[in-house]
């Protein structure tokens, strides 16, 4: 089936395709209204070496970077994503979904702290709360290990919480899925109706009836009186009974009977 045939079927069965497209439009509208737009705010922080470790660098923490800081950043991210931290942040008023992880392609102890939600103002406020909580949690985590304040790893904010941006990817995916599903189902219904109508319009084979299977009542019978080859000597009126007496039409069930001549009639006489 080529595109021209598909187009002809769609035009011919428009009364099936049109309601399907209307239902598809209603489905897309429902998805658009039910799936809200999500907003995301993100901040970037880095871990700095302790004051004690930067004495040799005149107190500049950016000149003293160690591999252990990256390991500490990974541990802090795991702690922030734990269930205890989630419960603590929720009690402090954080709304939405947050995530802490090491920044992609980072060449140091850089972390991304992001919050996602449907209210832009609440998302921004939650990201600020999350960033402050991360620094507080870093100090508490080291205090539990009895680290002196001069040897504690510090945190600095590289990028403060940004203005929330709309995340339309998920919503767009749902809209595309709804449109594709509705259109495909409409086409399936259209071609199903077309196939049923073609099957109904196709002429079927003629079924044999009982009269076609019964042999003629005159088959195999001998010569009948009144046939066209009868000389009428049997007392009949010489009429042909293959024709109806009232209408004069030929009787389709009647058979023609021929006289059987003796074999001597076909013998040729020898010349004298």
């Amino acid at each position: 089936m080529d595109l021209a045939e598909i187009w002809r079927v769609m035009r011919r069965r428009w009364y099936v395709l049109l309601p399907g497209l209307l239902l598809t439009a209603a489905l897309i509208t429902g998805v658009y209204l039910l799936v809200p737009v999500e907003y995301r705010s993100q901040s970037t922080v880095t871990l700095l070496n302790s004051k004690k470790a930067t004495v040799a660098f005149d107190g500049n923490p950016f000149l003293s970077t160690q591999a252990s800081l990256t390991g500490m950043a990974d541990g802090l991210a795991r702690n922030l994503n734990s269930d205890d931290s989630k419960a603590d942040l929720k009690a402090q008023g954080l709304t939405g979904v947050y995530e802490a992880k090491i920044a992609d392609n980072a060449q140091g102890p850089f972390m991304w702290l992001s919050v996602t939600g449907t209210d832009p103002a609440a998302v921004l406020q939650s990201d600020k709360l999350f960033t402050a909580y991360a620094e507080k949690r870093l100090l508490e985590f080291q205090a539990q290990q009895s680290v002196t304040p001069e040897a504690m790893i510090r945190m600095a904010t590289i990028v403060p919480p940004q203005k929330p941006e709309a995340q339309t990817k998920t919503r767009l995916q749902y809209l595309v899925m709804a449109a594709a599903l509705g259109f495909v189902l409409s086409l399936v219904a259209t071609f199903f109706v077309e196939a049923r109508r073609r099957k109904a319009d196709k002429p079927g084979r003629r079924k044999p009836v009982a009269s076609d299977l019964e042999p003629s009542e005159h088959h195999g019978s001998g010569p009948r009186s009144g046939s066209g080859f009868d000389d009428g000597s049997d007392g009949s009126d010489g009429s042909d009974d293959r024709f109806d007496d009232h209408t004069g039409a030929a009787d389709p069930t009647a058979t023609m009977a021929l006289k059987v001549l003796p074999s001597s009639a076909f013998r040729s006489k020898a010349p004298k």
Side-chain angles (χ1 to χ4, degrees):
M1 180 179 291
D2 55 4
L3 294 177
E5 179 65 19
I6 294 176
W7 174 249
R8 285 192 293 268
V9 173
M10 292 171 62
R11 287 196 307 171
R12 186 161 53 248
R13 307 302 174 191
W14 63 269
Y15 54 87
V16 180
L17 182 62
L18 182 59
L21 295 180
L22 293 178
L23 290 177
T24 301
L27 180 62
I28 294 174
T29 303
V31 172
Y32 183 83
L33 296 176
L34 294 178
V35 179
V37 179
E38 293 185 343
Y39 296 87
R40 183 182 182 185
S41 176
Q42 180 175 284
S43 62
T44 304
V45 298
T46 184
L47 301 186
L48 302 177
N49 217 332
S50 63
K51 296 180 179 179
K52 188 175 181 179
T54 58
V55 174
F57 301 94
D58 296 331
N60 190 344
F62 294 101
L63 298 178
S64 174
T65 57
Q66 300 176 0
S68 59
L69 294 178
T70 303
M72 185 61 193
D74 181 66
L76 178 61
R78 296 174 185 272
N79 184 272
L80 293 174
N81 293 326
S82 64
D83 293 337
D84 293 339
S85 296
K86 289 181 180 179
D88 195 8
L89 286 169
K90 185 177 181 180
Q92 295 183 25
L94 187 144
T95 58
V97 179
Y98 73 88
E99 182 184 17
K101 68 175 185 178
I102 297 179
D104 296 340
N105 302 321
Q107 297 181 2
F110 296 97
M111 295 176 58
W112 281 344
L113 306 176
S114 60
V115 178
T116 304
T118 57
D119 186 1
V123 168
L124 181 59
Q125 185 63 29
S126 296
D127 196 17
K128 292 179 180 179
L129 176 63
F130 186 33
T131 303
Y133 179 82
E135 184 176 5
K136 175 184 175 183
R137 191 62 183 146
L138 174 64
L139 298 177
E140 292 177 352
F141 190 73
Q142 296 178 90
Q144 294 174 359
Q145 306 302 321
S146 301
V147 179
T148 59
E150 292 78 8
M152 285 187 177
I153 298 174
R154 297 168 291 171
M155 176 181 290
T157 301
I158 303 300
V159 179
Q162 298 296 292
K163 181 180 179 181
E165 296 182 355
Q167 307 294 312
T168 59
K169 182 179 179 180
T170 302
R171 192 185 195 186
L172 183 60
Q173 288 177 347
Y174 280 113
L175 291 175
V176 172
M177 290 173 58
L181 179 62
F183 184 71
V184 169
L185 292 179
S186 300
L187 287 181
V188 169
T190 300
F191 283 92
F192 176 77
V193 173
E194 175 69 15
R196 292 294 299 271
R197 293 299 298 270
R198 288 186 179 183
K199 185 177 180 180
D201 296 341
K202 184 178 180 181
R205 291 184 176 180
R206 177 178 176 270
K207 297 182 178 180
V209 296
S211 60
D212 295 338
L213 302 178
E214 295 178 356
S216 176
E217 61 180 353
H218 300 296
H219 282 195
S221 62
R224 292 190 53 183
S225 60
S227 62
F229 295 89
D230 196 358
D231 56 358
S233 59
D234 56 352
S236 64
D237 55 358
S239 62
D240 193 349
D241 58 358
R242 290 177 297 154
F243 294 89
D244 190 276
D245 294 338
H246 301 284
T247 61
D251 186 2
T253 63
T255 58
M256 182 182 295
L258 300 177
K259 283 186 176 183
V260 180
L261 299 179
S263 59
S264 59
F266 297 94
R267 296 177 181 175
S268 59
K269 295 181 180 181
K272 296 180 179 181

